[in-house]
Amino acid sequence: MLTTITVVIMAAALAAGLTANRLRRHRVPTGGEDEEASISDLISPLETLAVLLVAFVIVVAAESYGTAGSAAGAEAHRVDQLYEVADYAPEPERERMQGAAVCYARAIMAYEWPAMVDKGEKAAEASVWSSDFRNHFKALAQKHAATFELLVRADDERSVARQTRLSEAMPAIPAVVYWFMVISLAATVGAFAFGLPRRRGAAHFVLLFVLAGLFTGSLLLIEDIDKPFSGQIRITNEAMAETAADIGDDFGTDHPGSRLPCDPTGIRV
């Protein structure tokens, strides 16, 4: 919907500018070259504003996209690290924590990722296992202080990465800023169309349509990367999927005969 409105606004601005230019050409000439120079002088500040605004917003959106991707990768890495550090814990805490790590990764993929994409929310199905981590840590706090500290550090980094991922799932560009940018670029395209010289050739129209296309493409690109987990250039859950598969296989090897405390989607059984 947002994409359609953006394209319609830019197309309407271009059409309005060309129509206004056509009407101006059929007027009785009053200013000649001076009139053309005056229109160009008025368009120049508008062009500068539009370009600076687009550059600023693209930087903000790209930074948010990069942060979201880094957080998703960091969370998957910390879950893997949590599983590996749990190797230093004694039984039965070792098996319980490693099972919780596998179930957490599965729940993130099955429940939290869709919830994050749709509403930017966390999933209770995954939070159950992160709470389990802390319950198991209590059993290690007194007897295995060194292992406890390593596990707490890894879990804290996992939690931070998870919160960052969730926060970056929401658009970083406020709606009012986006629409102000759309209006600015539409006004710029319309002004360029209106300011086409009386003596113009095919090159003028080609450049005008290229400019309009680039501006429209910039808007669509900003809209897409401002939704890092749901746009066309989306960040996938591939990193967490690889971690879930890896530590799931490790659990079968490390604890032969034992069953995970969850089903394939991360729901406790």
Side-chain angles (χ1 to χ4, degrees):
M1 184 63 179
L2 190 63
T3 298
T4 302
I5 295 174
T6 299
V7 172
V8 168
I9 289 176
M10 295 299 291
L14 179 60
L18 290 171
T19 301
N21 178 268
R22 183 178 181 85
L23 294 174
R24 183 172 67 90
R25 287 178 58 228
H26 286 83
R27 268 187 342 189
V28 178
T30 57
E33 296 298 329
D34 290 339
E35 182 183 2
E36 300 291 350
S38 176
I39 293 174
S40 178
D41 292 340
L42 290 173
I43 294 174
S44 183
L46 183 61
E47 175 189 6
T48 301
L49 170 65
V51 170
L52 289 176
L53 187 59
V54 169
F56 170 74
V57 174
I58 284 180
V59 169
V60 173
E63 183 178 356
S64 175
Y65 183 91
T67 301
S70 297
E75 182 185 20
H77 176 69
R78 296 312 175 198
V79 173
D80 183 69
Q81 183 182 32
L82 195 63
Y83 183 96
E84 292 178 355
V85 174
D87 265 338
Y88 296 99
E91 295 289 5
E93 284 78 14
R94 177 193 304 170
E95 179 178 338
R96 291 171 180 171
M97 283 188 292
Q98 290 180 331
V102 176
C103 294
Y104 173 84
R106 290 180 174 183
I108 288 292
M109 292 189 301
Y111 294 98
E112 184 156 295
W113 206 271
M116 174 190 65
V117 170
D118 293 338
K119 302 178 181 178
E121 297 178 351
K122 64 173 59 177
E125 292 84 355
S127 297
V128 165
W129 301 109
S130 60
S131 296
D132 257 21
F133 295 152
R134 290 185 286 274
N135 292 334
H136 297 320
F137 294 163
K138 294 176 183 178
L140 298 173
Q142 299 297 327
K143 299 180 181 179
H144 302 276
T147 302
F148 170 76
E149 291 178 4
L150 290 172
L151 286 167
V152 168
R153 186 180 307 123
D155 184 59
D156 181 62
E157 292 172 349
R158 174 206 57 79
S159 179
V160 170
R162 182 188 185 190
Q163 292 300 326
T164 302
R165 170 176 57 76
L166 290 168
S167 64
E168 294 298 338
M170 302 305 294
I173 309 300
V176 64
V177 174
Y178 177 81
W179 289 115
F180 178 72
M181 179 178 58
V182 171
I183 292 172
S184 298
L185 291 182
T188 302
V189 170
F192 273 121
F194 176 74
L196 286 176
R198 296 178 185 278
R199 298 178 180 178
R200 69 249 181 125
H204 290 92
F205 285 102
V206 170
L207 291 175
L208 175 63
F209 282 99
V210 167
L211 177 68
L214 289 175
F215 277 175
T216 303
S218 297
L219 290 171
L220 298 182
L221 177 63
I222 290 170
E223 180 202 351
D224 192 74
I225 64 176
D226 199 33
K227 299 180 294 184
F229 298 105
S230 58
Q232 295 297 317
I233 319 174
R234 69 175 64 90
I235 298 167
T236 68
N237 60 0
E238 181 180 356
M240 187 63 77
E242 291 178 354
T243 294
D246 184 40
I247 62 179
D249 291 341
D250 289 345
F251 185 89
T253 302
D254 297 337
H255 308 284
S258 297
R259 296 181 59 185
L260 284 167
C262 64
D263 64 15
T265 66
I267 295 296
R268 190 185 296 276
V269 295

